[in-house]
Amino acid sequence: MGQQMNFQVVLLAGGVSKQLFPLVSKELPKALLPLGNKPLLSYTLEQLESSNLKSIIVVVAGEDVAEQIRAWISGAYDDRLSVESVTVAEDAGTADALRAVASRLTAEHILVISGDLVCDIPLGAIAATHCRKKASMTALLCALQVAGTSDGSSGSTGKEKAKQQSSNDVIGLDPSHEFLTFMASAARIDKQLQIQRSIVRAFGRVELHTDLVDDHLYVFKRTILQEVLEGCPGIRSIKEELVPYLIRSQLRSNPTIQSKPLTENGGEQFERKIAPNQLVKSPLEQASLLGAQANNMKCCAYIVNKDRYCARVNSVQSFIDVNQDVAGERAVHLTGYDISRSNNVIHPTSKLGYKSTVGPHCMLGEGSEMGDKCSIKRSVVGRHCRIGSGVKIMNSVVMDHVTIDDGCIVQGSVICNNAHLQERVTLKDCQVGAAYIVSGEHQGEALAKRDKN
Amino acid sequence: MDSRRGSRFVIDPKIRQVGFVPAGCESENPNASSAVAAIANVDVNPTSDSPSPVMIPPRLADPLPRAAPLPVPSPPPRKHTSVEIPLQGSYNPTDSVLGTSPPFSPASNGRYAGVPSSEGPDLSPSFVSRASSAMEGMSLREDHLGSPSASRFATVGEYAMFKQQQPQQPATAVTKVYASSLPQEPVQSFAPVGKEDSSKPLKERTTKAERRAKQEADREAKRIAKESAGAKVVEGEARASSNVVGKASRAQSQKKDSASEKRLSAVEKASEKEKKKEIPAPRMQFDDQSRVAKAKKRALIEQTETKHRVELFRHLPQFVYGAQLPSLEAKFFHDDAMHPHPAVYQVGLQYLTGDITGGNARCIAMLSAFKELIKDYCTPRERTLIRDLTARVNNNVSFLTTCRPLCISMGNAIRFLKTRIAKLQLTLSESDAKSLIIAEIDRFMQEKINYADNEITKLAVTKIKDGDVILTYGSSCVVETIILHAFSLGKKFRVVIVDSRPKLEGKGLLRRLLGRGISCTYSHINAVTYIIQEVNKVFLGASSILSNGTVYSRVGSASVAMVANAFHVPVMICCETYKFHERVQLDSICFNELGDPDALVKIPGRKGLSELEGWSQSSHLKLLNLMYDVMPADYVSMIITELGMVPPTSVPVILREYRKDPILENFATFGKDSNPIKFFRASLEYYRAC
């Protein structure tokens, strides 16, 4: 459905992400990465379902991955969603993915959502904003979440902050925070940032934000999307090329298309014989903004409320952070688990040894066993893990079927399926690949079998 | 509820003074003329709720002791007579009997069988309805109850019943005086019906026990009346059961009257039905809690009403603005049967957020959305297009209403659309019917809005001379086109734009005029008395013009017009005729729209001002952001419509003639064969002839 409101959904599920190496592999694509012991894609699918958007086009990169995802979706959502999956090449960009499905798009508006988005924003709100403004594109912007603001933050926070500072997008908004006036993605910014004077002239005032993140959820007008995708074959990425292109083209007034000032005509078919002209330089701030509105191209922004949860899983650190959030009160409602009184989720079949403690923001999966005197803080432990005595796990994610022997200390790390930590292993900020056997002491390393990549 | 009643007590007299009462009328002079007495009575009466003489429906069996005024002129309360009479009896009937004073029981006046009044605790609603149905034939003449005890009668019908028996009672002396005094009374007056008398001596005369006894007797009598109406029996029983003085005679009189009553009621019912058709649908009063609760259940949007509502404006819808949009957005993708059409939904959102403002723009947006709706419509099985489509349109209209109250012009457009749907020939195929209605909508937009605007522009431009200084208030699109057109004709004039907070709509107009190179002066309404001195013409737009010439427009227009009038500057109102309405409105209280009170708090460009911040926490502070006001016809020099430039007194004429517009009728009857363009041309010629 959703057709009722003339919407179609394209879900970009991705493939094997390079950023998340060694967490993901051909066997475990990014979309199926367990987040709070549920596949990552399920969050997006469930959100779509709750918004009554039940027919979805899923675009997956890579044949093998597509096969896995298809199998998983048909198993889990067979009766609830009608999912159509499309495969693109592994190295295809996001815009390429859209191009691959362009022929299947029929509805007036296209909702493009990234599979790694974990949020509880009502999609209807974004769609409503898009419709209301008669925009050609609407992007979801989210305030930058400063990672690890709360108590248990470790040294990783500082590092993370530094990383963010260098890699922030620059997003320009008009004073009313409704229209996008400028966007430069972090990857494309050199030391200097040039902003054309025409932008400022058209909008009167432009606010540049580096505290906002583009969260890879867009609503496009189909006609414009198809036109641009066809007309500019050079565009490969939505965020880095397509969106900035659309924002730039706002300024280009199109003489062939008649302007439609909203407050005057409302309806399309009425052309007042004296049409108010556009883009007048005037002393009033509001004035020129309205001039820009008169243009047929409008790029809107939907800025997420502070009380909503919105995060993307696109790096190892964000994977750990989102896992913690999902295990705590902040975003546990997304998982559908019941949270215990001590602010954590412990599966009833899991066994805790003598004097073992599980702190807040923790999740303990089905059938996991813990030895004596263990302590787990702000970590997610998957299903059927065996944890020996005296193990300390902090700020980490332990996936399914992992064996951790006695006396290990795991901090800020991700341990993938079937890995084995031998006795007295100390890990700090490490990523352990699937079925890897660890011994000794490691810090800040990615430990994985070197068979692929 | 009780607390509200209490406060009402204090505030209501103010309403009267705003709306109706000329200065000095509030004195309770018992010897004043009946008209004044009526007003005074209204004044004093704490229970009468709304001052509006029009369109407020009576509520049957309303638990609140509030009397809703009728839309029809009803006879004045006869307070003065009650004072003239020496009151001795235990109970003083104050009014005439149906049979004894025929000139004063016009059947047509008894449109409403029931009039709300406070009822005894033992009066169940079912009883009330029974009483009213039994007494439908009775006239409503007993509008002015003789004593506070009268408030115990659930309906006037019941009361009339009681009255009927009075001549036979020992206390008839009183009644006779009444009967004789009746002919001198003016029949037409806008007095609310069902008032309690406020004269003190009367109050003291009847004790509680007596009143109870009267009531008992009355009810008994009514029961008998009902029975005897069906089959003329049970007198004996009535007598047996009666234990009050005068019962027997009453029962006899009952027998006599019931036949004539029946006859009357048949006639009346017919006329009543006819009249009811003419009454516009009652507008919801938002201080009626039960109705609000009901409406809430139906509404798609979850609305929470604002806590601090200004007392006078409680009957108007006022919701917490922040709460509406998210709830609407959350339901964006839902699709049930009640879900509005996407285009309508979009327009509703735009209304809610203020993306579309202005009477014409809103109307066009709505009609365009309805066009989409009709295009996508297909009749469900086993239903007829006419009925189902009307229901669908109603559904969507009510959705739009929850987004923002409709303005009068939109109401007119909807009425137009619905009559067109209703008049469709049953034989038409679905696609034909759809295309016909779409053509009708197009024609309406073209003719009534677009063409009308052009015509108004042409007419109004003739009023602009070289060297003129034109003042306009806010931003009206018609006025804007007039100014631009006059400028393009090479006329040399200056424009003064007067604006006001919080919307500052004039800024947009200023920008557009400046863009054309028209010399402008921008000022706020505070300075209007100063700036008016250099102005020699005032052009204003209007949301609606009512049949008494009152102009209903953006709040502040009335002040501008008043100032202009005081300075002898002609005020010209530019308004399309489709915005005219038959309603009569004397104040801007009964019908208005409340804007977002928070808009008053925010002052653009001055972030330091935070006096009003967190105002909703304070129980002493209430903010009022009125959207419209009412400009009396006295201030209006001329109304420029597409039919010509007319004085405000001609509005009812236009309304009347407009109704039987030959072209409109022709078009409707010609059906699908007619060519819209041909008709457009014909209408052009017709209007030119006008």
Side-chain angles (χ1 to χ4, degrees):
Chain A
M1 278 131 256
Q3 278 100 335
Q4 215 250 339
M5 294 307 286
N6 229 332
F7 266 81
Q8 229 173 341
V9 184
V10 178
L11 174 58
L12 304 176
V16 182
S17 165
K18 287 200 179 75
Q19 281 99 357
L20 286 169
F21 177 81
L23 275 58
V24 293
S25 60
K26 286 243 164 80
E27 286 77 44
L28 186 70
K30 183 183 175 186
L32 301 182
L33 205 62
L35 181 75
N37 294 333
K38 287 170 83 180
L40 181 55
L41 198 61
S42 69
Y43 291 90
T44 315
L45 287 174
E46 249 145 56
Q47 199 197 357
L48 289 168
E49 194 193 3
S50 71
S51 299
N52 206 18
L53 291 162
K54 289 177 182 166
S55 91
I56 300 160
I57 301 174
V58 179
V59 188
V60 192
E63 273 299 334
D64 306 348
V65 178
E67 204 50 56
Q68 283 186 46
I69 290 177
R70 214 173 286 153
W72 173 72
I73 289 176
S74 62
Y77 291 94
D78 192 26
D79 46 344
R80 293 193 277 168
L81 300 172
S82 84
V83 176
E84 196 181 343
S85 73
V86 176
T87 314
V88 293
E90 259 176 69
D91 56 344
T94 43
D96 295 330
L98 275 186
R99 220 170 262 136
V101 296
S103 57
R104 297 175 192 237
L105 303 177
T106 50
E108 198 181 335
H109 307 286
I110 312 296
L111 182 80
V112 180
I113 186 167
S114 170
D116 58 5
L117 185 65
V118 180
C119 68
D120 58 355
I121 301 151
L123 296 175
I126 301 157
T129 310
H130 178 80
C131 279
R132 180 158 65 78
K133 299 280 174 205
K134 294 188 176 168
S136 39
M137 187 207 77
T138 304
L140 177 73
L141 300 181
C142 176
L144 197 66
Q145 293 182 354
V146 182
T149 41
S150 42
D151 43 335
S153 61
S154 61
S156 66
T157 319
K159 201 177 80 185
E160 179 66 12
K161 264 185 187 165
K163 214 199 269 174
Q164 279 168 352
Q165 227 105 65
S166 62
S167 68
N168 276 356
D169 301 341
V170 178
I171 294 167
L173 294 171
D174 76 298
S176 63
H177 287 216
E178 280 172 348
F179 293 96
L180 278 170
T181 59
F182 181 79
M183 188 183 277
S185 82
R188 307 216 155 207
I189 299 174
D190 303 328
K191 287 206 170 155
Q192 282 187 332
L193 185 68
Q194 286 195 336
I195 296 168
Q196 292 87 350
R197 192 179 289 165
S198 58
I199 297 175
V200 184
R201 205 182 292 145
F203 288 93
R205 199 163 71 183
V206 175
E207 288 177 17
L208 290 181
H209 288 263
T210 52
D211 57 343
L212 292 172
V213 191
D214 176 10
D215 265 322
H216 284 226
L217 195 162
Y218 310 98
V219 185
F220 293 103
K221 208 174 188 176
R222 178 180 55 88
T223 48
I224 287 173
L225 181 68
Q226 285 175 336
E227 198 179 292
V228 172
L229 287 177
E230 215 170 279
C232 313
I235 291 178
R236 296 200 66 225
S237 156
I238 296 179
K239 187 192 170 189
E240 286 168 20
E241 287 158 309
L242 179 64
V243 172
Y245 176 85
L246 289 173
I247 291 171
R248 275 200 307 277
S249 55
Q250 275 186 109
L251 298 175
R252 232 170 282 146
S253 60
N254 197 341
T256 53
I257 300 168
Q258 199 70 39
S259 66
K260 296 167 210 154
L262 269 181
T263 47
E264 288 308 308
N265 287 348
E268 273 95 313
Q269 61 276 74
F270 280 91
E271 239 49 285
R272 212 155 277 287
K273 59 180 176 188
I274 309 155
N277 61 338
Q278 0 167 321
L279 299 177
V280 185
K281 287 173 218 165
S282 89
L284 298 161
E285 282 176 12
Q286 292 288 319
S288 33
L289 165 70
L290 291 167
Q293 275 179 17
N295 199 332
N296 63 322
M297 193 73 141
K298 272 184 285 181
C299 296
C300 291
Y302 181 88
I303 298 172
V304 180
N305 267 344
K306 288 254 162 39
D307 53 341
R308 295 282 185 181
Y309 186 77
C310 182
R312 279 189 72 209
V313 180
N314 52 4
S315 67
V316 174
Q317 185 58 45
S318 66
F319 178 68
I320 296 173
D321 289 342
V322 175
N323 259 308
Q324 280 175 12
D325 287 335
V326 159
E329 79 277 296
R330 184 121 187 266
V332 76
H333 57 278
L334 292 167
T335 58
Y337 296 131
D338 291 328
I339 194 160
S340 75
R341 233 180 306 151
S342 51
N343 199 8
N344 54 18
V345 182
I346 297 171
H347 199 273
T349 57
S350 58
K351 287 174 195 159
L352 270 70
Y354 174 70
K355 273 196 174 175
S356 284
T357 54
V358 179
H361 289 275
C362 282
M363 195 178 277
L364 207 56
E366 189 186 341
S368 285
E369 287 175 23
M370 265 162 72
D372 300 340
K373 292 184 183 174
C374 286
S375 133
I376 298 180
K377 287 176 188 162
R378 305 177 68 83
S379 299
V380 174
V381 177
R383 298 183 188 87
H384 306 291
C385 291
R386 300 180 151 275
I387 297 170
S389 303
V391 173
K392 285 185 180 167
I393 301 174
M394 284 169 285
N395 297 315
S396 300
V397 179
V398 178
M399 294 186 197
D400 300 347
H401 302 287
V402 173
T403 312
I404 301 175
D405 289 344
D406 295 353
C408 287
I409 297 171
V410 180
Q411 213 176 346
S413 302
V414 182
I415 299 161
C416 291
N417 291 345
N418 302 319
H420 185 194
L421 269 61
Q422 290 172 337
E423 260 180 59
R424 302 197 185 280
V425 166
T426 309
L427 290 179
K428 199 177 178 204
D429 303 329
C430 289
Q431 294 90 44
V432 179
Y436 192 81
I437 299 165
V438 191
S439 57
E441 205 168 303
H442 297 276
Q443 191 170 356
E445 285 176 61
L447 309 165
K449 288 178 186 167
R450 299 218 168 245
D451 50 355
K452 298 145 206 162
N453 296 319
Chain B
M1 247 190 214
D2 279 9
S3 65
R4 238 175 66 195
R5 259 151 75 180
S7 53
R8 215 162 257 292
F9 212 101
V10 182
I11 281 186
D12 266 7
K14 283 184 197 154
I15 303 181
R16 309 302 167 236
Q17 292 189 358
V18 172
F20 286 96
V21 189
C25 270
E26 61 271 67
S27 66
E28 261 191 281
N29 186 1
N31 295 324
S33 74
S34 72
V36 174
I39 292 162
N41 189 29
V42 171
D43 231 348
V44 179
N45 189 350
T47 57
S48 81
D49 180 33
S50 168
S52 164
V54 286
M55 280 183 55
I56 295 180
R59 284 186 291 271
L60 293 172
D62 190 334
L64 282 176
R66 288 177 294 157
L70 283 184
V72 255
S74 50
R78 301 191 187 89
K79 183 183 164 189
H80 65 296
T81 49
S82 69
V83 180
E84 284 164 18
I85 295 151
L87 297 157
Q88 289 145 353
S90 61
Y91 178 74
N92 292 285
T94 53
D95 219 323
S96 63
V97 180
L98 188 71
T100 51
S101 62
F104 287 90
S105 54
S108 59
N109 267 3
R111 181 180 300 170
Y112 293 105
V115 165
S117 61
S118 75
E119 43 190 281
D122 47 348
L123 280 177
S124 68
S126 70
F127 177 76
V128 173
S129 63
R130 183 160 52 89
S132 59
S133 63
M135 289 299 115
E136 219 159 286
M138 302 302 291
S139 121
L140 262 199
R141 306 287 301 144
E142 278 65 33
D143 55 282
H144 192 241
L145 305 186
S147 77
S149 72
S151 65
R152 286 170 165 265
F153 297 120
T155 65
V156 171
E158 189 186 358
Y159 187 67
M161 190 63 217
F162 178 53
K163 284 288 129 52
Q164 209 177 8
Q165 293 126 21
Q166 294 309 310
Q168 278 80 19
Q169 273 198 336
T172 40
V174 177
T175 327
K176 274 170 194 161
V177 176
Y178 274 110
S180 61
S181 72
L182 278 174
Q184 291 119 42
E185 289 183 5
V187 183
Q188 298 277 316
S189 151
F190 287 126
V193 181
K195 292 284 169 267
E196 296 174 5
D197 199 323
S198 53
S199 59
K200 286 280 148 67
L202 220 59
K203 236 176 210 167
E204 282 146 19
R205 243 157 257 204
T206 49
T207 67
K208 199 176 178 186
E210 280 167 334
R211 290 195 305 259
R212 167 76 37 100
K214 288 291 162 203
Q215 197 189 3
E216 294 283 310
D218 205 58
R219 229 186 290 156
E220 188 61 31
K222 172 131 8 133
R223 194 179 59 76
I224 295 161
K226 206 184 172 196
E227 280 167 11
S228 64
K232 298 186 180 181
V233 258
V234 285
E235 276 154 79
E237 189 197 303
R239 232 176 257 130
S241 63
S242 67
N243 49 2
V244 186
V245 193
K247 196 97 207 202
S249 58
R250 223 175 289 146
Q252 276 165 5
S253 75
Q254 218 75 84
K255 195 177 159 192
K256 257 192 285 163
D257 289 331
S258 56
S260 62
E261 205 176 280
K262 247 174 127 185
R263 241 190 304 117
L264 255 176
S265 68
V267 176
E268 235 173 80
K269 263 181 192 167
S271 67
E272 201 174 297
K273 263 186 189 170
E274 238 164 62
K275 287 245 167 88
K276 256 182 191 160
K277 269 186 200 163
E278 285 167 29
I279 309 169
R283 189 149 159 172
M284 190 152 117
Q285 302 290 301
F286 279 79
D287 48 356
D288 184 347
Q289 292 186 349
S290 61
R291 268 165 190 255
V292 170
K294 257 188 210 168
K296 254 187 199 166
K297 275 183 204 160
R298 271 184 279 126
L300 185 71
I301 313 178
E302 281 165 39
Q303 291 168 319
T304 38
E305 291 190 47
T306 16
K307 277 181 200 157
H308 308 295
R309 291 189 291 172
V310 178
E311 199 62 43
L312 266 180
F313 295 93
R314 287 197 147 206
H315 59 285
L316 299 172
Q318 166 108 71
F319 300 109
V320 177
Y321 267 66
Q324 275 173 299
L325 189 61
S327 74
L328 192 57
E329 283 172 340
K331 290 190 176 153
F332 189 80
F333 287 118
H334 284 222
D335 48 355
D336 43 9
M338 293 292 282
H339 202 78
H341 187 270
V344 178
Y345 205 96
Q346 187 172 332
V347 169
L349 280 171
Q350 285 171 328
Y351 287 169
L352 187 63
T353 52
D355 286 329
I356 295 181
T357 51
N360 282 351
R362 279 170 73 193
C363 199
I364 288 173
M366 181 190 71
L367 288 175
S368 310
F370 281 146
K371 252 168 63 183
E372 290 296 313
L373 180 140
I374 290 166
K375 256 180 217 163
D376 295 347
Y377 172 82
C378 58
T379 320
R381 277 188 181 191
E382 294 168 15
R383 311 197 83 170
T384 54
L385 178 129
I386 293 176
R387 290 205 180 172
D388 193 58
L389 188 57
T390 312
R392 186 73 65 85
V393 168
N394 281 341
N395 199 356
N396 282 283
V397 166
S398 66
F399 166 75
L400 288 181
T401 319
T402 52
C403 291
R404 188 180 162 186
L406 303 179
C407 60
I408 292 168
S409 58
M410 289 161 77
N412 283 344
I414 290 165
R415 196 159 60 173
F416 163 84
L417 175 64
K418 282 205 232 167
T419 50
R420 284 295 168 270
I421 294 171
K423 277 185 183 173
L424 281 177
Q425 287 161 3
L426 284 167
T427 50
L428 282 177
S429 74
E430 189 184 303
S431 61
D432 281 347
K434 274 161 66 177
S435 56
L436 182 67
I437 292 174
I438 288 170
E440 290 272 5
I441 294 174
D442 275 336
R443 198 181 52 84
F444 184 89
M445 293 201 280
Q446 197 65 29
E447 196 174 285
K448 297 280 181 235
I449 303 174
N450 217 25
Y451 168 71
D453 276 358
N454 289 350
E455 207 59 17
I456 289 172
T457 311
K458 270 185 219 159
L459 285 172
V461 156
T462 60
K463 292 284 156 199
I464 299 180
K465 305 260 176 341
D466 280 353
D468 271 356
V469 180
I470 292 158
L471 183 140
T472 184
Y473 174 74
S475 171
S476 156
C477 62
V478 189
V479 173
E480 185 185 334
T481 39
I482 290 166
I483 291 170
L484 292 178
H485 187 56
F487 185 75
S488 68
L489 290 179
K491 300 196 176 181
K492 289 180 179 55
F493 58 94
R494 201 155 64 81
V495 182
V496 177
I497 298 168
V498 178
D499 208 352
S500 72
R501 283 198 63 230
K503 286 202 148 190
L504 297 178
E505 291 161 314
K507 277 190 177 183
L509 177 68
L510 177 63
R511 175 184 62 83
R512 293 188 289 269
L513 294 190
L514 285 177
R516 292 274 161 166
I518 300 170
S519 61
C520 295
T521 307
Y522 180 81
S523 170
H524 275 210
I525 195 164
N526 327 19
V528 72
T529 43
Y530 169 75
I531 207 92
I532 200 81
Q533 295 171 19
E534 56 188 75
V535 170
N536 60 356
K537 261 153 213 168
V538 175
F539 280 92
L540 295 174
S543 172
S544 176
I545 300 183
L546 310 175
S547 67
N548 58 345
T550 305
V551 177
Y552 183 74
S553 63
R554 174 68 66 226
V555 69
S557 308
S559 332
V560 172
M562 184 174 70
V563 170
N565 190 55
F567 282 83
H568 303 292
V569 178
V571 177
M572 283 169 267
I573 308 290
C574 309
C575 184
E576 301 86 351
T577 50
Y578 87 101
K579 290 179 177 172
F580 285 19
H581 198 272
E582 303 87 346
R583 186 198 291 168
V584 170
Q585 196 171 326
L586 300 172
D587 58 41
S588 41
I589 299 166
C590 357
F591 295 100
N592 212 320
E593 194 184 326
L594 300 180
D596 182 8
D598 283 321
L600 298 177
V601 177
K602 290 175 209 138
I603 299 169
R606 295 189 68 178
K607 279 175 186 163
L609 278 178
S610 59
E611 274 77 17
L612 288 177
E613 237 140 80
W615 64 278
S616 52
Q617 258 70 51
S618 161
S619 58
H620 302 294
L621 179 62
K622 286 158 184 169
L623 296 187
L624 177 68
N625 182 10
L626 267 188
M627 298 287 270
Y628 295 99
D629 67 7
V630 153
M631 184 194 304
D634 305 345
Y635 300 152
V636 181
S637 322
M638 180 198 282
I639 295 170
I640 303 176
T641 72
E642 72 264 30
L643 305 180
M645 295 183 267
V646 297
T649 45
S650 300
V651 173
V653 181
I654 289 178
L655 275 171
R656 197 176 61 225
E657 297 302 316
Y658 176 68
R659 272 291 152 75
K660 44 183 178 183
D661 187 341
I663 287 154
L664 282 183
E665 291 306 314
N666 279 346
F667 191 73
T669 48
F670 270 52
K672 59 173 179 176
D673 305 327
S674 61
N675 178 1
I677 297 164
K678 213 189 278 172
F679 270 98
F680 181 60
R681 283 208 191 111
S683 62
L684 270 179
E685 277 157 29
Y686 170 73
Y687 286 133
R688 283 215 183 101
C690 291

